[in-house]
Amino acid sequence: MIDNLPSDASAEEIRRLRRRLDRERAARLEAEAIAEAGTLRLFEHQWRVELTQAIATAANSMEDPLEAFRFAVERICAYSSFTMGHVWTVEEASSPASMTSSGIWFTALPPDTAFAQQTATLRIGHGEGLPGRVLAAGRALWTEDMTQEPDCPRAEGARLAGIRAGFAFPALIGEEPVAVLEFFQNRISAPDEALLEMLDRIAAVLGRVVERHLASLRLKRNNELAAQRDAAEQASQAKSAFLATTSHEVRTPLNAVLGLAQALRREPLTTRQHELIDGILESGEMLLRLLNSVLEMSKIEAGEATLMLADFDLTNMLRSIVSIWTPRASELCVDLELEMIGLAPGLVRSDRGRIEQTLVNLVSNAVKFTPPGSAIIIRAIPTDDGARLEVLDGGPGVPEADRERIFRPFEQTQDGRSAGGAGLGLSICAGNVRLLGGEIGCDKDELGRSRFWFTCALSPSQGDADGSIETVETISVRHGLRILAAEDNLANRRVLQVLLGPSGVDITFAGDGGEAIEFLRAGRFDCILMDANMPVMDGVEAVRQIRAEDLAGGAPIHMLTANVFDDDVTRYLAAGADGILTKPIQLIELFRVLASVPVLAWAAA
């Protein structure tokens, strides 16, 4: 019996294996927690992006500042838990600056309450209550309880009206407030810093409406057509800058979510865990495609948009949309069904992002309007040159007189205004469908159900003749490949580590462009991945210097960045980059680049 006991060496091996399993288990749990937290932050950030985009798009089309303020107040109340909104406007030529009520309200309170009457008669100066403090500070501020706020001339009226927490933010021209928008609710609430940060961005957007209005008045008085063209150019540049900032802010956290989820997917997981990871990846990739499509809207308006053609399985895309939207529909006691009539699985070629965004917008509208106990049907029918996609719901439908205008920007029916939204979703759909070579419309089916539909052209797949699909596993990356990655964001570094670690590559990280240059002076690398936005020295300047001093030694340089607008790509290539990889990282594109890296002379020796 004693002879059968494990030796000390065997026992130590068992302990070592247990420690290893414990470490791997802890690593998986950490990755899952990071992915889940990132997904939550992503969707919280997404609704703020949607709100900001809606206000910015509306503001860019409105000439009257009061109209833009009213739109912003209604949208912010609709998106938040604050049920009362009001706008103060700064009096012209007042010194020191003071404000009076604009008369714009969004509230359930009757207009003859003491609080509303007092607001209508007040003149607010610097530091007087919440709006006065915002006037002085020029930024968004929060009060947890208005009734306890010092120097608040409306504290008693707020107490009687049941008003407690509030926040306010300015509309800014440069650093000068021209209006203050305030919002209140009936309970004490701690500050929401992310909301305040978003409002500070909207401040400049609304300020540009006032600035454009004042410029327009001056131009009309002076009949200066040249100045009018300059104002339009400035508005266009501001819009481009806003879209670039939005793109970068969404892509950076999305890179971590998708990257870590892809890495976790390659771990040994249970079937249920694989399903959850697949759900994260499907939702994140859909969000990325929707982001790309929204950012293309300015090109659609200018007639400069192009299709991004790729092979995909339309049936899988439809099932994915149904899977993602089913939980939301179930919350509202609505069934979501998919009917594919004669549509066979297999790869087709078109712009998946635009088809997906159009269908998602129609499903989103259907969910809003369908009463509990009814059903929404997504129906796909093949046509001679593509497919017809329909969304049938139990809502009231669109009156025949309104069916054409609802596809124009900011046009809504009365039911649409009641349900909220900016009136942009269907106009985006119409722009997408025009590019796809199809038609869009709404009517009622033979059973009287509301039906939105569109057609799109589909081309045969250009995949391999044997039907095989390239995957990360089929791409061979040279073991020991030396990569220099210039990346200042720790989360993005972690993504590269977990994605490339199993491939046996050797990654060296630099915190900025200058540090990357020092690494190149000291050693050799097979490939250089360069972020664009970094402190000290950015990626573009670093690439210029690397090319000027011939430090790469033949190693290709690829920008790995969330800034992927056409102007950005042009700058990267002009500086000397060999290619561009986008964030969130497309794993198969990254592996293709690494697999194509040549064996340099120093490595062969």
Side-chain angles (χ1 to χ4, degrees):
M1 295 297 293
I2 294 175
D3 292 339
N4 291 331
L5 292 174
S7 65
D8 291 343
S10 297
E12 177 57 31
E13 179 65 11
I14 290 172
R15 287 192 293 271
R16 187 185 69 79
L17 289 173
R18 285 176 175 169
R19 289 193 298 270
R20 178 181 176 185
L21 287 173
D22 288 341
R23 288 195 301 270
E24 291 178 350
R25 187 178 297 110
R28 286 196 297 271
L29 291 174
E30 178 187 7
E32 289 176 2
I34 292 173
E36 291 172 357
T39 301
L40 177 60
R41 289 194 299 272
L42 174 65
F43 282 99
E44 288 177 342
H45 183 75
Q46 177 62 16
W47 77 256
R48 292 192 174 99
V49 170
E50 291 174 356
L51 172 59
T52 307
Q53 174 70 19
I55 293 176
T57 304
N60 280 336
S61 69
M62 293 178 178
E63 298 296 331
D64 184 357
L66 295 182
E67 182 183 3
F69 295 157
R70 189 185 306 278
F71 181 92
V73 168
E74 292 177 358
R75 293 284 76 77
I76 291 172
C77 284
Y79 271 85
S80 69
S81 61
F82 287 74
T83 56
M84 176 185 295
H86 170 254
V87 180
W88 298 92
T89 52
V90 177
E91 295 182 302
E92 291 185 17
S94 61
S95 183
S98 62
M99 302 181 299
T100 57
S101 173
S102 67
I104 294 175
W105 285 90
F106 185 86
T107 176
L109 289 176
D112 59 349
T113 60
F115 183 81
Q117 290 180 347
Q118 187 178 18
T119 299
T121 59
L122 279 177
R123 176 176 280 102
I124 296 291
H126 280 210
E128 295 183 70
L130 177 63
R133 291 193 291 117
V134 171
L135 178 64
R139 58 184 176 85
L141 296 175
W142 189 286
T143 179
E144 296 187 16
D145 187 349
M146 185 177 175
T147 64
Q148 303 300 317
E149 188 179 30
D151 299 323
C152 178
R154 297 178 294 168
E156 180 61 19
R159 186 187 65 79
L160 294 174
I163 295 171
R164 292 295 181 266
F167 64 83
F169 73 97
L172 295 174
I173 296 181
E175 297 180 358
E176 292 297 321
V178 291
V180 171
L181 286 70
E182 59 178 7
F183 302 82
F184 303 104
Q185 64 180 8
N186 60 2
R187 66 177 185 272
I188 297 173
S189 178
D192 183 341
E193 296 299 336
L195 176 61
L196 293 178
E197 182 181 346
M198 178 199 72
L199 295 173
D200 280 334
R201 290 195 294 271
I202 294 177
V205 173
L206 293 178
R208 282 196 294 272
V209 184
V210 181
E211 190 172 23
R212 286 200 311 272
H213 178 69
L214 297 176
S216 177
L217 293 177
R218 290 193 298 268
L219 290 173
K220 288 178 180 178
R221 285 194 297 264
N222 300 323
N223 197 24
E224 297 177 355
L225 297 179
Q228 193 173 31
R229 288 193 297 269
D230 290 342
E233 179 63 26
Q234 290 173 7
S236 175
Q237 292 174 356
K239 180 178 179 181
S240 298
F242 169 77
L243 290 175
T245 300
T246 300
S247 173
H248 186 272
E249 289 182 354
V250 174
R251 288 176 186 274
T252 297
L254 188 57
N255 181 56
V257 171
L258 289 179
L260 294 173
Q262 288 181 82
L264 189 59
R265 189 183 197 182
R266 299 162 72 187
E267 296 287 332
L269 304 173
T270 65
T271 301
R272 177 58 178 162
Q273 289 169 333
H274 270 297
E275 290 175 354
L276 295 174
I277 291 299
D278 288 344
I280 292 173
L281 287 171
E282 286 180 0
S283 298
E285 288 165 357
M286 180 183 292
L287 178 60
L288 179 60
R289 289 190 292 271
L290 294 180
L291 171 66
N292 290 337
S293 298
V294 169
L295 295 178
E296 282 282 298
M297 272 308 295
S298 59
K299 291 185 178 180
I300 292 177
E301 294 168 355
E304 300 173 354
T306 57
L307 293 176
M308 300 176 63
L309 299 177
D311 294 343
F312 67 99
D313 189 322
L314 179 61
T315 60
N316 285 345
M317 185 199 80
L318 295 173
R319 292 191 183 100
S320 176
I321 291 174
V322 171
S323 173
I324 290 170
W325 276 90
T326 293
R328 175 57 179 159
S330 298
E331 289 177 5
L332 301 173
C333 300
V334 172
D335 291 332
L336 186 57
E337 304 171 9
L338 175 61
E339 294 181 0
M340 292 187 287
I341 304 174
L343 190 67
L347 295 179
V348 295
R349 189 169 185 83
S350 186
D351 190 323
R352 171 175 179 164
R354 296 194 189 280
I355 295 175
E356 190 172 58
Q357 183 191 33
T358 302
L359 189 56
V360 165
N361 280 354
L362 298 183
V363 172
S364 175
N365 282 347
V367 170
K368 287 181 186 177
F369 293 111
T370 300
S374 300
I376 297 171
I377 300 173
I378 299 175
R379 180 180 292 164
I381 308 168
T383 62
D384 291 340
D385 63 346
R388 174 182 168 105
L389 301 176
E390 301 177 350
V391 177
L392 300 95
D393 63 64
V398 179
E400 188 170 353
D402 295 330
R403 290 176 183 173
E404 181 179 347
R405 71 179 184 86
I406 59 171
F407 293 101
R408 297 195 293 264
F410 307 112
E411 292 285 354
Q412 292 176 289
T413 63
Q414 182 60 45
D415 290 329
R417 283 189 290 272
S418 300
L424 293 172
L426 292 178
S427 67
I428 292 175
C429 292
N432 286 339
V433 172
R434 283 196 300 272
L435 281 172
L436 292 165
E439 298 179 345
I440 188 169
C442 64
D443 53 25
K444 289 186 179 292
D445 74 345
E446 61 279 1
L447 298 178
R449 292 174 297 191
S450 173
R451 175 173 60 188
F452 279 80
W453 57 269
F454 69 96
T455 60
C456 57
L458 300 173
S459 303
S461 165
Q462 296 184 4
D464 295 337
D466 61 2
S468 62
I469 300 175
E470 187 179 35
T471 66
V472 170
E473 288 70 25
T474 64
I475 301 175
S476 177
V477 176
R478 190 166 76 246
H479 189 81
L481 194 73
R482 297 196 67 199
I483 299 173
L484 174 61
E487 174 60 73
D488 64 307
N489 186 286
L490 296 180
N492 289 338
R493 290 189 181 191
R494 178 62 177 158
V495 168
L496 284 173
Q497 285 175 326
V498 297
L499 290 178
L500 297 180
S503 302
V505 300
D506 181 7
I507 307 178
T508 299
F509 287 104
D512 59 67
E515 189 174 350
I517 289 172
E518 295 305 316
F519 277 121
L520 289 170
R521 286 172 176 160
R524 297 284 189 175
F525 295 91
D526 296 292
C527 181
I528 302 165
L529 302 178
M530 184 72 68
D531 187 21
N533 291 345
M534 293 182 291
V536 184
M537 180 185 289
D538 65 30
V540 175
E541 180 58 33
V543 172
R544 287 197 189 99
Q545 190 165 336
I546 291 169
R547 293 305 189 195
E549 299 183 27
D550 196 21
L551 297 175
I557 304 175
H558 289 267
M559 305 300 293
L560 183 55
T561 175
N563 293 338
V564 290
F565 278 72
D566 291 343
D567 291 346
D568 297 320
V569 172
T570 300
R571 285 193 303 117
Y572 304 151
L573 296 177
D578 295 293
I580 292 89
L581 292 166
T582 63
K583 294 176 185 174
I585 295 173
Q586 301 298 305
L587 194 55
I588 194 166
E589 296 298 329
L590 176 60
F591 271 66
R592 283 173 181 160
V593 166
L594 298 183
S596 68
V597 172
V599 178
L600 302 177
W602 67 268

